[in-house]
Amino acid sequence: MRVQSSPWDVAVVGGGASGTLLAIHLLRQARAPFRILLVERGGQVGQGLAYSTRSQRHLLNVPAARMGAFAEEPEHFLRWLRQETPDTEGGDFVPRLRYGQYLDAVLEESIARAPQGVQLETLSGEVTSAREHGGLVTLTTRGGVELVARAVVLALGNANPADLRVEDGGLYTSPRYHRSPWAPGALDGIGADDTVLLIGTGLTMVDAVLSLEERGHRGALHALSRHGLLPHRHPRTVLQGTYASPGIRDVLRALRDHGLRAPEQAHPIPVRVRALLRVLRHEVRRATDAGASWRSVVDALRPVTVPLWQRLDSGERRRFLRHLRAYWDVHRHRMAPDVADGLERLRTQGRLRLHAARVRSFHLDDADAVRVRVRRRGERREEDLQVHHVVNCTGPEGDVTRHGHPLLHRLAEEGRARPDALGLGLDTDGHGALLDARGHAGGRLFTLGPLRRGELWETTAVPEIRAQARALSEHLLKRLGRGFVAPRRSAG
Ligand SMILES: Cc1cc2nc3c(=O)[nH]c(=O)nc-3n(C[C@H](O)[C@H](O)[C@H](O)COP(=O)(O)OP(=O)(O)OC[C@H]3O[C@@H](n4cnc5c(N)ncnc54)[C@H](O)[C@@H]3O)c2cc1C
């Protein structure tokens, strides 16, 4: 067992993009002495779910020039890419695995350039419990190792998709069902000519289709979701021509001047979903009249999305999730142009069919086939789809009571963390400190990234995570009395 001489200042649990970006910011900002521990159950830091793919076909859905690890240097990733491939353009959508390599390189560089006495240690292990005592937190790993820290950040990221709550007829325990397309070897067992049903029509489904294609799959593909909507595409000229949407600019200005308290009548800040939709539609008309794309309006919303979300009360947030989420997702999270071309080709060939429908039940007909009972959107009649395999592409499950993460489950059970009201993640304060069952922030346990979805809504893409990582790093350093030094510009 490891013998720990003194507590780590910060222990980060989870070495995906969020945990790695936080560690990078801490290393660049901390004053010595300062010790950081980064614990990752998968062994390899800097990758996590999104960037551990080995497929060259899984592309970033954000152009290279916007993926830098630092908000003040969004082109940092692009410059890093150009060291090896000088002709990379800012608008290119490069393989996601390159981003994992980049984060690893930036972490290494940050370790090497940190002041003497500012150190990072990485540990391979799964943390299963966290106990607060006397101003410290003790983490315990599955192997029984105890780790003591002054503050802990849970960067646990994306959970596996949850099973649909329908009659499964034994499917969920059979080899015909693939609960997560991201698990290693997840698509093994699907034959080249098998018919496959993909539940979900978003970017997770797109990933699964690309993986199947790469494996030489030739069979029919059905993709199904309640609305049957496919993500829109990025144009190839994604970085050219910016259009600053005037209405959204007004909202931004009003938020800056009046913060979250500005009354709706006095300022153009919608506090209802219907009003928000009206502003958006109006802005899209204005943009199109000015010869710009609707995409520029959606992109202009990015800096105001969090404050707008926070002005909606929980009833309005629910309304958004029920009626608008599917439309928001396909407009906001778009496909790289090459990926969109590939999907279009499959649809034209008739190999990929989209369905707007709900699954009612699954039934294993024999060892070879799955009968899926579905009800199409707007119809009462039910019908059957016959497939060989079902792949769950509904995306990461947010409800911590459903996704079976041992550490989160335990924290929630002990009342030291609580799910947010919408079941999208955990309740946190403005800095990312976990709120306990009574709504109090103990101030030693924090989170960032996908688990803050309930509070922030947009919290999963790198541009949002890097801003959170920096803000949380500053907050922790201030709290722990290790000052904040202005970040150095990177050499990269
Ligand atoms: C498929 C996919 C593609 C995406 N593409 C893009 C993109 O192109 N551009 C963009 O900006 N954003 C993209 N995103 C969004 C965003 O970048 C990711 O969600 C981001 O990777 C989140 O990182 P994370 O570290 O919070 O979570 P994760 O990547 O899920 O990492 C969490 C890590 O924590 C570890 N962990 C969990 N529990 C424990 C424990 N108890 N003990 C120790 N370790 C633990 C896990 O093993 C994992 O490595 C994508 C997301 C997905 C899912």
Side-chain angles (χ1 to χ4, degrees), residues 93-324:
F93 295 85
V94 303
R96 290 212 299 269
L97 64 88
R98 294 292 281 147
Y99 199 72
Q101 293 163 351
Y102 162 72
L103 285 183
D104 195 34
V106 179
L107 182 64
E108 285 303 317
E109 187 207 315
S110 305
I111 294 170
R113 299 182 74 211
Q116 200 169 16
V118 174
Q119 298 162 357
L120 175 104
E121 201 173 318
T122 55
L123 180 80
S124 180
E126 180 183 1
V127 174
T128 51
S129 81
R131 188 170 46 85
E132 288 174 75
H133 53 93
L136 297 170
V137 184
T138 294
L139 302 173
T140 310
T141 68
R142 192 173 283 283
V145 177
E146 295 205 330
L147 309 157
V148 184
R150 297 169 69 202
V152 165
V153 180
L154 305 178
L156 310 176
N158 302 288
N160 278 332
D163 298 331
L164 295 194
R165 282 190 260 201
V166 296
E167 172 63 55
D168 76 285
L171 174 72
Y172 291 162
T173 50
S174 85
R176 303 267 142 204
Y177 181 60
H178 309 262
R179 183 177 174 204
S180 167
W182 298 306
L187 305 177
D188 291 355
I190 300 183
D193 296 306
D194 284 350
T195 300
V196 180
L197 171 66
L198 305 138
I199 312 267
T201 57
L203 291 172
T204 307
M205 177 279 287
V206 173
D207 255 23
V209 168
L210 295 172
S211 298
L212 285 167
E213 280 273 280
E214 201 165 28
R215 301 162 67 97
H217 182 260
R218 303 177 293 255
L221 297 165
H222 297 271
L224 175 151
S225 66
R226 274 196 304 147
H227 293 81
L229 298 172
L230 200 59
H232 284 278
R233 62 159 63 221
H234 281 289
R236 289 198 184 273
T237 51
V238 72
L239 290 179
Q240 284 170 16
T242 48
Y243 168 82
S245 177
I248 306 292
R249 221 172 33 209
D250 286 349
V251 172
L252 187 57
R253 197 174 306 120
L255 281 166
R256 275 201 193 120
D257 294 349
H258 303 281
L260 294 178
R261 285 175 304 280
E264 187 176 17
Q265 316 83 287
H267 306 286
I269 311 177
V271 291
R272 293 195 191 287
V273 167
R274 281 172 85 116
L276 187 55
L277 194 58
R278 257 198 316 275
V279 172
L280 265 179
R281 287 194 168 131
H282 178 68
E283 285 307 303
V284 167
R285 270 197 303 277
R286 253 169 145 173
T288 339
D289 290 348
S293 157
W294 57 263
R295 293 172 179 83
S296 50
V297 177
V298 176
D299 294 346
L301 264 177
R302 200 158 188 163
V304 292
T305 308
V306 171
L308 283 178
W309 176 256
Q310 291 182 332
R311 281 176 61 86
L312 302 179
D313 63 27
S314 61
E316 287 298 313
R317 290 181 189 182
R318 278 204 177 83
R319 204 157 286 138
F320 171 85
L321 294 176
R322 199 162 46 239
H323 301 297
L324 289 184

Side-chain angles (χ1 to χ4, degrees), residues 14 16-25 47 49-51 66-71 99 103 153-158 302 306 332 447-453 456-473:
S18 300
T20 305
L21 281 166
L22 176 66
I24 288 168
H25 280 84
Q47 299 186 342
L49 182 62
Y51 309 112
R66 294 187 187 151
M67 285 290 288
F70 314 103
Y99 199 72
L103 285 183
V153 180
L154 305 178
L156 310 176
N158 302 288
R302 200 158 188 163
V306 171
R332 169 72 183 74
T447 189
L448 81 165
L451 279 172
R452 290 190 76 192
R453 199 149 210 201
L456 305 173
W457 179 241
E458 282 297 335
T459 180
T460 55
V462 166
E464 278 77 27
I465 294 175
R466 70 187 174 205
Q468 273 180 48
R470 176 171 176 165
L472 182 54
S473 161

